[in-house]
Amino acid sequence: PGSYLVHTNNRAVSAVRQKDFIQPGWNDHRNSTLFTGLRPDAYYGVMMPNGISLFFVILFSSMPTVLFWATVSGLLALGYGTYLIRWIIALPAGDGKMKGISLAIQEGAVAFLSRQYKVVAGIGAVLFLLIGAALSWTMAFGFLVGAVCSALAGVIGMHVSVRANVRTAEAAKSGMPQALAVAVRGGTVTGLFVVGFGLLSVTLFYWIVGDVAPLIGLAFGGSLISVFARLGGGIFTKAAD
């Protein structure tokens, strides 16, 4: 009620009330399809290609301001982390011997992660059923979401780190500043994906269920995986050293 839809030059403009209507010039962007007003007290504008317009309309059409910006922040973290991954992979990986050592480290890391996550998955499955039966299935699914997001952040971080190592060594041939830049950005990827997945999982899950209590399960799932990653990863690293 009170909303209206205007089609101008094949661009859809949706607004909640007339005073929130699109400002002059905003409908002049080429390849932009929508500008959506969500509530009188929380007004958002989104300009994007045709293919993903409907997705964002559905996703953000009823999302409060705080959740909206938390979601945007999470997406920005994942986007910048993805950019850093591409930047690191594009760097030279050194000579044949360096690549051989790096490949051995990568194979060991993959074997460790595979074994660790198989064990953790079994423990997580039992906890998922226990939480669902004893507390609530909503909390159990929150536990599952937190565990999956935490595991993804760990896998991505590990895969990038073992590839950044050899590129840091190669960059060190040009000087310490170059090596430091590669090392810091390689480590930053893990942090960005942890923050990005954390923000997105908490924000979207809370938006879907509309209750704070199931977030306890989500936090427990994320913490469980991170504990295994820290303890098991630390032991593996020391054994490898």
Side-chain angles (χ1 to χ4, degrees):
S3 65
Y4 54 87
L5 186 65
V6 178
H7 292 278
T8 305
N9 297 328
N10 296 323
R11 295 168 175 82
V13 179
S14 173
V16 170
R17 53 185 184 176
Q18 189 166 0
K19 77 181 191 64
D20 287 329
F21 190 60
I22 197 166
Q23 294 184 7
W26 284 356
N27 61 348
D28 293 333
H29 294 280
R30 295 185 180 274
N31 299 321
S32 298
T33 60
L34 70 96
F35 192 98
T36 177
L38 305 181
R39 299 195 315 257
D41 61 332
Y43 186 71
Y44 310 120
V46 184
M47 295 286 188
M48 52 197 57
N50 295 334
I52 56 176
S53 296
L54 181 60
F55 168 77
F56 278 93
V57 168
I58 296 172
L59 180 62
F60 297 139
S61 60
S62 61
M63 184 176 286
T65 308
V66 173
L67 298 185
F68 174 83
W69 288 114
T71 303
V72 170
S73 299
L75 291 173
L76 287 174
L78 296 182
Y80 185 56
T82 303
Y83 162 76
L84 289 181
I85 292 175
R86 294 173 63 88
W87 182 85
I88 291 169
I89 297 301
L91 295 175
D95 55 31
K97 187 175 182 179
M98 293 172 64
K99 291 179 180 178
I101 296 173
S102 176
L103 182 60
I105 294 173
Q106 292 175 34
E107 290 176 350
V110 170
F112 163 74
L113 280 180
S114 177
R115 179 61 178 169
Q116 175 178 264
Y117 282 146
K118 285 179 181 178
V119 174
V120 176
I123 298 173
V126 174
L127 290 174
F128 173 81
L129 295 175
L130 289 176
I131 294 171
L135 299 173
S136 72
W137 288 107
T138 303
M139 187 173 292
F141 279 106
F143 169 82
L144 180 62
V145 171
V148 170
C149 289
S150 182
L152 281 175
V155 169
I156 294 171
M158 176 71 85
H159 278 275
V160 174
S161 295
V162 295
R163 287 162 175 78
N165 290 342
V166 68
R167 288 163 173 80
T168 300
E170 177 65 19
K173 296 178 181 179
S174 301
M176 288 298 294
Q178 291 81 354
L180 183 62
V182 178
V184 170
R185 292 178 182 180
T188 300
V189 170
T190 301
L192 286 170
F193 274 86
V194 168
V195 172
F197 281 132
L199 279 172
L200 288 178
S201 61
V202 171
T203 302
L204 297 180
F205 190 73
Y206 172 74
W207 179 56
I208 292 171
V209 302
D211 188 9
V212 176
L215 294 179
I216 297 173
L218 191 149
F220 179 45
S223 299
L224 177 70
I225 301 300
S226 66
V227 166
F228 274 99
R230 279 194 290 267
L231 295 178
I235 294 171
F236 173 79
T237 301
K238 291 173 178 58
D241 291 342

